[in-house]
Amino acid sequence: MDQSPFARQVSDDVFGYVQPDGSWWINNCGFVAAGEHTVVIDTCSTERRTRALLETAAATGGAPVTTVVNTHHHGDHTNGNYLAAGATIVGHRKTREAMVATGINTYGNSFTGSDWGHLELRPPEVVFDDRLTVHAGEVRLELIHPGHAAHTTNDVLVWLPERRVLFVGDLIFNGGSPFALMGSPAGWRKALDLVRELDPETIVPGHGPVCGPEAIDVVDGYLGFLQKLAAHGKAAGLTPLQAAREADLGPYEALSEQERLPANLHRAYAELDGLDWGAPIDLGAAMADMVTFNGAPIRCFS
């Protein structure tokens, strides 16, 4: 029986933990109730939200959380790792590297309003490079890194092949603007081809409602639009911020978090300059442009 309005059963013993409204720092998670133990997919950005997730997962499955899988390093998916006491944290090798290198980031100059609570850094203890299989009772979870940068350098798909369920992390924002600043628009589009090849019936996105494969084309279309906008902006001598301000978003006007556009353009411009997918760029300048585009620090509700 569900113990939270956020828990939605997507297959036998498999639950998406969907947090409205999916905006900045409000992510989706998931869990598999495996009988004697529970496997959780991602934690949350704040202490309060993560405690609620872990309590729901343990209560729904009737068993303690023994394993947490991280889909990438961003704080809205990892800040709460430390609260899963007694559980093993699993993630990509680069997830651990990024978390160790940067610590907990709340980007206080860019965001306001979050109730972080007490946070402690806890990166994955078990890491992998390409693929790893996790068994949760009768449920098989295939952890798949696309092999290159996409949303980040360290994205992990959590694929349940017998259930046709995919926890896709932030490779899908359902209803929100994709955020490519720390990854690669080109690499992301290639990763979406992998998502199509898996042929999921049910997708639990990193943000927004549970969906089907129709959401893939929306994200892919936005990234293609971003690449064309960047090419036009660079050719016209516009800065990323200027190009964002002049953009006609067309079918993507309805997506939330439009302030991500100038930051995305910083990454797309870098790729046009020949920078490798996911290579470091000036994140501070990109996020400053995002705040300028928004007109103020971005209000969060986490």
Side-chain angles (χ1 to χ4, degrees):
M1 179 178 178
D2 292 4
Q3 303 296 311
S4 165
F6 295 163
R8 172 179 169 181
Q9 188 165 353
V10 294
S11 183
D12 290 346
D13 302 322
V14 180
F15 297 81
Y17 189 83
V18 180
Q19 299 192 98
D21 58 356
S23 56
W24 286 106
W25 298 99
I26 303 178
N27 68 310
N28 295 334
C29 308
F31 57 91
V32 180
E36 296 182 353
H37 64 106
T38 301
V39 175
V40 166
I41 301 161
D42 280 334
T43 56
C44 305
S45 58
T46 70
E47 178 186 2
R48 174 179 57 87
R49 287 182 178 272
T50 301
R51 289 190 184 278
L53 161 70
L54 295 174
E55 289 169 5
T56 297
T60 303
V65 175
T66 60
T67 308
V68 174
V69 176
N70 288 148
T71 62
H72 59 292
H73 74 280
H74 284 164
D76 51 336
H77 298 259
T78 62
N79 278 356
N81 284 356
Y82 78 101
L83 290 167
T88 299
I89 312 296
V90 180
H92 194 266
R93 187 177 307 278
K94 290 182 178 179
T95 298
R96 178 179 175 85
E97 291 172 355
M99 292 178 68
V100 169
T102 65
I104 290 175
N105 294 308
T106 59
Y107 301 102
N109 292 331
S110 300
F111 301 100
T112 184
S114 293
D115 177 14
W116 302 109
H118 175 75
L119 297 177
E120 297 178 15
L121 182 69
R122 187 180 174 196
E125 294 107 9
V126 174
V127 299
F128 68 99
D129 292 310
D130 301 311
R131 295 193 176 216
L132 181 69
T133 301
V134 173
H135 290 277
E138 297 180 355
V139 181
R140 177 164 59 104
L141 294 79
E142 296 291 345
L143 312 187
I144 305 169
H145 177 58
H148 50 77
H151 168 63
T152 67
T153 62
N154 53 93
D155 302 293
V156 173
L157 303 171
V158 182
W159 172 229
L160 284 54
E162 287 78 22
R163 308 300 180 86
R164 315 304 301 172
V165 172
L166 179 64
F167 290 86
V168 76
D170 282 0
L171 291 185
I172 298 289
F173 287 81
N174 186 16
S177 300
F179 190 45
L181 175 59
M182 300 180 195
S184 162
W188 194 335
R189 299 189 74 186
K190 184 176 180 181
L192 291 177
D193 287 337
L194 172 59
V195 173
R196 292 186 180 98
E197 290 172 9
L198 294 174
D199 192 26
E201 293 179 0
T202 303
I203 294 175
V204 181
H207 297 261
V210 173
C211 55
E214 69 282 349
I216 301 170
D217 288 343
V218 178
V219 175
D220 194 17
Y222 176 94
L223 295 168
F225 157 79
L226 174 67
Q227 290 174 311
K228 291 178 181 177
L229 181 63
H232 171 78
K234 276 189 69 70
L238 302 177
T239 67
L241 180 59
Q242 290 169 334
R245 284 175 163 166
E246 294 186 10
D248 178 1
L249 294 169
Y252 308 107
E253 183 73 43
L255 296 179
S256 58
E257 293 82 53
Q258 295 291 352
E259 65 275 6
R260 292 173 179 162
L261 183 57
N264 287 337
L265 284 167
H266 272 262
R267 174 59 66 179
Y269 273 39
E271 290 193 357
L272 288 171
D273 286 336
L275 202 67
D276 290 341
W277 295 355
I281 63 173
D282 188 342
L283 300 183
M287 295 188 76
D289 276 357
M290 193 167 64
V291 172
T292 300
F293 185 89
N294 189 58
I298 298 159
R299 174 67 178 168
C300 299
F301 298 93
S302 58

